[in-house]
Amino acid sequence: MATQVRTIYRPGLTGTIVDSMVQTLPTRGPRLLQSELHRPGRVFEHITPNWFASVMGTGIVATAGATLPVHVPGLHAFATVVWLIASTALVALSVAFLVHWVRHRRNARAALHDPVMVQFYGAPPMALLTVGAGTMLLGKDLIGAGAATTVFAVLWSAGTVLGLITSVAVPYSMITRPSDGQTRPLPAWLMPVVPPMVSASTGALLLPHIAEGQWRLTMLGACYAMFGLSLLIGIMTMTLIYGQLLGGGAPPVQAAPTVWITLGLIGQSITAANLLGADAALVFVGPDSGVGPDNAVATGLEIFGIVYGFIMGGLGFLMFCLALALTVHSSRRGLSFSLTWWSFTFPVGTCVTGAAALAAATGSTALVGLAAVLYVLLLAAWVTVATRTAHGSLRGELLG
């Protein structure tokens, strides 16, 4: 017998992740994609937004490698190759997702109206932002600094606009849809909340390339506003999720990997707070800044990033241990592979970038070591999940 993962849509489905429905089918030996699928067009039938989590998880391996505060021979070249893979995947999935909406509109609308799958519409904007950051950090070696900055600015703008739309539209759809009173808070609820935080952290990379004066000040203020939007709504959402875990028990076995999503908000917010704090001096400088020559505002924002990083890091430790324990708990109860396993990658990657940014702000060697250890864990998770995704896609198990 073999385990096959299929996407199944059911009206009002709650409490589990729709892409992780598992069926047990008779084993028919190795099968390639074209022999597995009766019609080539079915390749596009199940390209739902959660597929973009694979771009997020791959892109963060590249960006985290580029910012890792340790020198490892060959790491930069490896990160560049991974960024190219993520970029290719982003283009391919974007085209496939468009075809999905054109040729399989019924499935697309079903996913859009499903209370769980709609949460993953936060994945496409984060995929754009992650690949964009990789372009800025790694792509300049291949296409030049000017072209890399332009591409990054376009991807950042598109990802930011889509992320802001998602952060409003998804909660609105949940508020206005008929409720049966049995909806339980899920870690997936964080997916449409995190994109503005990713915009804030990656916006720090774009800030030095903005014209000085009011334009740069506006950019910094917008990034902090998105930081606040994502952080406050995210904390409220995490409170609901934590309360559900305590009062409602462990999530369904196949949904257990999504608990790792909580680390995405934590790690990304630490990254944003420290990167923006480091860049604040680019805005609040000199006697013409309105704050005096001692740059008090810039210093205050830098201190805020450090204090925030250590405080939020404590919460990150708790959620990391809890997510790990729940994953082990579920693995003993038959956890099988599905696209939800990509939750093991991007959130851990944000913890790498968060530790690296906090290490740069404080000079802590302990944080440098933590970033390195977390990156090793990220690599192990990415290799495992990427390999199984490729295998499942070639066999048609994730597409048919």
Side-chain angles (χ1 to χ4, degrees), residues 4 20 24 36 38 44 54 69 84 91 95 104 109 129 143 154 170 205 226 246 278 303 314 323 329:
Q4 181 169 11
S20 61
T24 302
E36 168 66 18
H38 298 297
F44 303 101
S54 63
L84 288 172
V91 174
V95 173
H104 303 283
R109 289 185 178 277
L129 293 165
I143 62 177
V154 171
V170 172
L205 299 176
M226 290 186 288
L246 293 179
I303 293 173
H329 175 82

Side-chain angles (χ1 to χ4, degrees), residues 73-399:
L75 178 60
H76 185 81
F78 168 75
T80 302
V81 171
V82 176
W83 166 72
L84 288 172
I85 294 173
S87 301
T88 303
L90 176 62
V91 174
L93 278 175
S94 297
V95 173
F97 192 55
L98 178 61
V99 174
H100 170 74
W101 262 98
V102 172
R103 299 183 59 178
H104 303 283
R105 190 162 298 179
R106 181 179 178 181
N107 278 10
R109 289 185 178 277
L112 186 63
H113 294 293
D114 187 277
V116 177
M117 185 59 74
V118 71
Q119 310 297 328
F120 289 90
Y121 269 88
M126 286 192 282
L128 290 169
L129 293 165
T130 305
V131 171
T135 304
M136 191 68 193
L137 295 169
L138 300 161
K140 59 185 178 183
D141 296 334
L142 300 179
I143 62 177
T149 302
T150 300
V151 172
F152 174 41
V154 171
L155 292 177
W156 185 87
S157 299
T160 297
V161 171
L162 288 176
L164 290 172
I165 291 173
T166 301
S167 67
V168 175
V170 172
Y172 174 79
S173 70
M174 296 174 64
I175 292 170
T176 57
R177 77 160 39 96
S179 175
D180 57 6
Q182 298 179 352
T183 302
R184 56 182 289 181
L186 302 172
W189 284 11
L190 286 169
M191 288 297 293
V193 175
V194 178
M197 187 66 77
V198 182
S199 292
S201 62
T202 54
L205 299 176
L206 190 59
L207 195 67
H209 301 276
I210 303 295
E212 293 183 8
Q214 289 299 314
W215 285 107
R216 190 174 286 178
L217 174 61
T218 301
M219 178 66 172
L220 181 66
C223 287
Y224 270 111
M226 290 186 288
F227 172 88
L229 182 160
S230 186
L231 177 65
L232 297 178
I233 298 299
I235 290 296
M236 288 189 286
T237 305
M238 285 182 63
T239 301
L240 294 174
I241 294 168
Y242 188 70
Q244 174 61 40
L245 291 175
L246 293 179
V253 170
Q254 293 305 117
T258 61
V259 176
W260 290 85
I261 295 175
T262 58
L263 287 171
L265 176 66
I266 296 170
Q268 199 66 251
S269 65
I270 295 174
T271 305
N274 283 278
L275 291 183
L276 291 174
D279 281 351
L282 297 175
V283 177
F284 301 105
V285 291
D288 295 331
S289 66
V291 295
D294 58 345
N295 302 330
V297 174
T299 301
L301 291 175
E302 187 173 7
I303 293 173
F304 166 76
I306 294 172
V307 174
Y308 175 87
F310 281 116
I311 292 175
M312 196 58 120
L315 177 60
F317 174 77
L318 168 65
M319 296 310 299
F320 184 96
C321 294
L322 184 60
L324 180 62
L326 288 173
T327 301
V328 173
H329 175 82
S330 296
S331 66
R332 293 175 177 174
R333 285 159 177 77
L335 176 64
S336 59
F337 176 73
S338 70
L339 291 179
T340 57
W341 281 34
W342 281 102
S343 301
F344 297 139
T345 56
F346 185 81
V348 176
T350 66
C351 293
V352 176
T353 59
L358 190 56
T362 61
S364 170
T365 56
L367 288 173
V368 171
L370 176 62
V373 171
L374 288 173
Y375 191 69
V376 171
L377 295 177
L378 171 62
L379 283 179
W382 177 71
V383 170
T384 301
V385 180
T387 301
R388 301 198 66 167
T389 299
H391 182 262
S393 298
L394 290 174
R395 289 175 61 92
E397 295 171 353
L398 298 177
L399 296 168

